[in-house]
Amino acid sequence: MDTSSSPSMRAVEVYLRYAAGRPELRDILMPELLPHDACAAACRRPGRINVLFVAESPPWAAGRREVARPGDCLSPDYPYFWNDRYDTRHRRARAPLSGGLAENIFLLLGLDGGSRRENLDLFVGENFFLVDTVKCVFRKNRKAAIPSDLIRTSAREVLAPEIADLAPEYVVALGNTALAGLREVEPYASALCGVGKITETPPESLFEEHRLLCVPYPGGRNRRYLDRIESGFAAVRDLG
């Protein structure tokens, strides 16, 4: 089978081309390391996607180790959303925003499986899916902020065709990077004209007319926005 035109290969080509022009990001940007593919997320894709969550980028570490190759993405210590081998015995969110991204999302959605794998089954069973704005690993331990031109490039050349292919009924931006990415993707870019920071209350028409929801990143650092986050996820639950 010719894989030269597959979505994952096209994404790698985009990131390799970007990295070639940014030598200062050597060993920070990992163009060929796409955890979404390493964890076979596409195999879990539901036939119809009711809600597509758009996150920032995959984690850069498994426990204390930086991930460097696809096999690392299947480590029980690698907390990437789609890694169904992640050991959750001591990592389940006991209170809102007290766990990792996946555990917080599961709790906010009311999914109560006994393991990461069970919760992923429940997640896709609700016709939910999740993708990243930047699909390759970016080592934020070495450079805290993802460059805006990388977000823009990834959104236009990787995320936009991906969303078109997935054809979700609703899209939920999780955090500022996802919001910045969707500002580069139509029809969401037009819908977001005049919308400020993701922590601000957006107009109701954004969800009702454009089927787009912007939610602060559901992590511990955003506990002060818990009401906004919970109301956003409540709106998602009500769609069912």
Side-chain angles (χ1 to χ4, degrees), residues 34-214:
L34 279 59
H36 190 89
D37 296 311
C39 295
C43 295
R44 288 184 172 272
R45 170 181 169 178
R48 176 183 65 85
I49 297 176
N50 189 23
V51 180
L52 177 67
F53 295 90
V54 181
E56 182 190 80
S57 64
W60 52 266
R64 297 178 180 273
R65 299 177 295 106
E66 291 182 338
V67 292
R69 55 190 62 84
D72 296 339
C73 300
L74 301 176
S75 165
D77 289 332
Y78 187 56
Y80 183 56
F81 184 89
W82 291 108
N83 180 17
D84 63 8
R85 301 184 186 186
Y86 184 65
D87 180 4
T88 59
R89 287 177 297 175
H90 307 294
R91 309 176 204 253
R92 295 186 67 184
R94 302 296 180 183
L97 310 186
S98 66
L101 175 64
E103 283 62 50
N104 291 339
I105 288 176
F106 298 148
L107 184 64
L108 289 161
L109 290 174
L111 306 180
D112 194 27
S115 67
R116 170 71 67 89
R117 183 168 299 177
E118 290 179 15
N119 275 323
L120 286 174
D121 289 341
L122 293 170
F123 183 80
V124 299
E126 295 287 341
N127 293 316
F128 298 152
F129 201 59
L130 181 143
V131 298
D132 305 297
T133 305
V134 175
K135 289 202 170 303
C136 64
V137 168
F138 187 91
R139 290 175 171 163
K140 295 181 71 176
N141 59 319
R142 302 190 187 192
K143 182 177 176 62
I146 298 177
S148 58
D149 62 339
L150 173 57
I151 296 171
R152 182 168 55 251
T153 297
S154 186
R156 292 178 177 178
E157 300 189 41
V158 181
L159 181 63
E162 181 176 42
I163 292 178
D165 177 62
L166 295 172
E169 292 290 324
Y170 292 86
V171 169
V172 178
L174 299 175
N176 282 313
T177 298
L179 177 60
L182 290 173
R183 291 189 192 279
E184 305 293 334
V185 179
E186 290 293 359
Y188 308 107
S190 297
L192 288 166
C193 286
V195 175
K197 297 179 180 179
I198 201 156
T199 53
E200 298 173 0
T201 302
E204 291 184 4
S205 62
L206 197 64
F207 185 62
E208 296 174 355
E209 297 178 18
H210 303 288
R211 300 192 170 196
L212 175 61
L213 186 64
C214 299

